[in-house]
Amino acid sequence: MSGMRGTLSRQGIVEAAMGLLDREGEAGFSMRKLARELGVDPMALYHRHASRRALMQEVMKALMLSCPLPDPSGDWRADVRGLCQGLRELAHRHPGSFRAYVVFEDWVPAEHLLHEELYATLLAAGFPARDAVRAVRLLLSYTESFAVDELTGWLEPLGPRELHALEASLAGGAFPAIAGLIETIASPDAEADFAFGLDVLLAGLGQVPRDAVPATGYQQPK
Amino acid sequence: MSGMRGTLSRQGIVEAAMGLLDREGEAGFSMRKLARELGVDPMALYHRHASRRALMQEVMKALMLSCPLPDPSGDWRADVRGLCQGLRELAHRHPGSFRAYVVFEDWVPAEHLLHEELYATLLAAGFPARDAVRAVRLLLSYTESFAVDELTGWLEPLGPRELHALEASLAGGAFPAIAGLIETIASPDAEADFAFGLDVLLAGLGQVPRDAVPATGYQQPK
DNA sequence: ACCTGAACACCGTTCAAGT
DNA sequence: ACCTGAACACCGTTCAAGT
């Protein structure tokens, strides 16, 4: 892209933007920096994308189009787990873009690919419409929050400096519960913690809809 | 604050910053605009707060200090619900600051007040340390995500323009599950949806830790 | 001790001009 | 048709100067 003479393809700009975002984070991203990397005048970008926001939408689209979507297995719980895990892997592959995606206030049709799989899985498992919509919101916001926490470093063991800062903030004894949990807080385990959350959600989803009586005749998924 | 001659108290700046943030959102906030509102030179602010980031930390502190913390009732589920509901109300009261808080990458000791209540509640309910820490992460990220979605408007019924945009994005029939759920997606109910998610989490939390072996870590229940 | 104001190195974006 | 470059209205922050 960078060396191509006079040619700034729409897609080339989007890929470069995604790379810059992933390398430097949203705070480190700017249209001017992107243009510098591509070796063009900043305004050349505006010929292909009307604004920074429009370009961001294209980046989000590219991001969501590259979200892994494992094939259905027949077991809805396994499928839900796989789809959430795929989204989490996307976050690991594209940390800056993923973070920007989660914070971004617009939606983008490319999200439909993942949503469709989740909805289809839950509907096939017998969830009534309302519960399926709520469950998907729950699963996505869990996975997105968890992944963003990972990217921020909140699921890595605390270093001595961070541990000391935490201990210092507890001085005075006003927070006995936190103080008693300090070793646990200091030693998270991203894989096990993520699995725990999914298990809680799946267990809860298997229980709660029982009392909902939808028009369509709901069977509790087992 | 604005008219006080020559006096810029630390707290006055923080309150004005919180107000500006809530009124205009993070994108609409700047040190210069804040100074303009306070009727001082932008650099006067730096005399009290070393940087925008430091000021933001003070805003986050003030925000978390004003989080409602309902008294314990003896029923851990009710207490968890109340604490999450309090956090959600904080978001409604301080939309811009809350959003900034969720996106903010630093933590602030004032968060301990809410965390302590949640940890104490769960520990008293018999949760082992590891599960309590995981549960608190789960409950907080659920509530924060939900509240941010509310602030973004994703829990208000879709207007005709938005509905049309969604329908247009489904043209071609590639997303039958979404298409079938369109009316449900278009008519969320913030109160009921929030309660549903809490019910799922509480039901799941009541199930999952039972099989966990506290000392060694988590084993997946079947 | 506290506030000011010029200055620096940035932003996103508009617009007229170049090829 | 596509790119450029000056310009505008912003940023956060440094630093020397004022009171």
Side-chain angles (χ1 to χ4, degrees), chain B residues 10-11 14 18 54-67 90 97 101 104 107-113:
Chain B
R10 271 181 73 86
Q11 195 55 30
V14 171
M18 196 151 136
L55 174 55
M56 282 299 181
Q57 279 180 349
E58 296 294 333
V59 173
M60 299 318 152
K61 177 184 171 184
L63 181 76
M64 292 319 285
L65 287 180
S66 70
C67 182
L90 185 68
S97 309
Y101 165 72
F104 205 51
W107 63 274
V108 106
E111 295 174 29
H112 290 345
L113 272 82

Side-chain angles (χ1 to χ4, degrees), chain B residues 119-136:
Chain B
Y119 286 134
T121 302
L122 295 176
L123 291 175
F127 280 74
R130 184 111 264 154
D131 289 348
V133 170
R134 287 165 166 168
V136 166

Side-chain angles (χ1 to χ4, degrees), chain A residues 67-72 76-89 113-119 121 140 143 194 198:
Chain A
C67 182
L69 297 177
D71 290 327
W76 73 271
R77 288 166 214 267
D79 291 346
V80 165
R81 262 187 258 266
L83 291 163
C84 291
Q85 182 60 36
L87 184 59
R88 183 170 163 240
E89 277 158 22
L113 273 82
L114 172 59
H115 294 188
E116 175 72 16
E117 294 305 310
L118 283 167
Y119 285 134
T121 301
L140 289 176
T143 305
F194 184 65
L198 277 184

Side-chain angles (χ1 to χ4, degrees), chain B residues 1-9 38-40 44 48:
Chain B
M1 291 132 260
S2 169
M4 284 195 174
R5 310 284 351 287
T7 299
L8 277 177
S9 73
L38 291 167
V40 298
R48 307 288 183 169

Side-chain angles (χ1 to χ4, degrees), chain B residues 6 8 32 40-41 43-44 47-48:
Chain B
L8 277 177
R32 294 173 112 110
V40 298
D41 188 277
M43 291 315 105
H47 197 256
R48 307 288 183 169

Side-chain angles (χ1 to χ4, degrees), chain A residues 30-32 43 46 52:
Chain A
S30 79
M31 297 295 275
R32 294 173 111 109
M43 291 315 104
Y46 286 83
R52 180 193 158 117

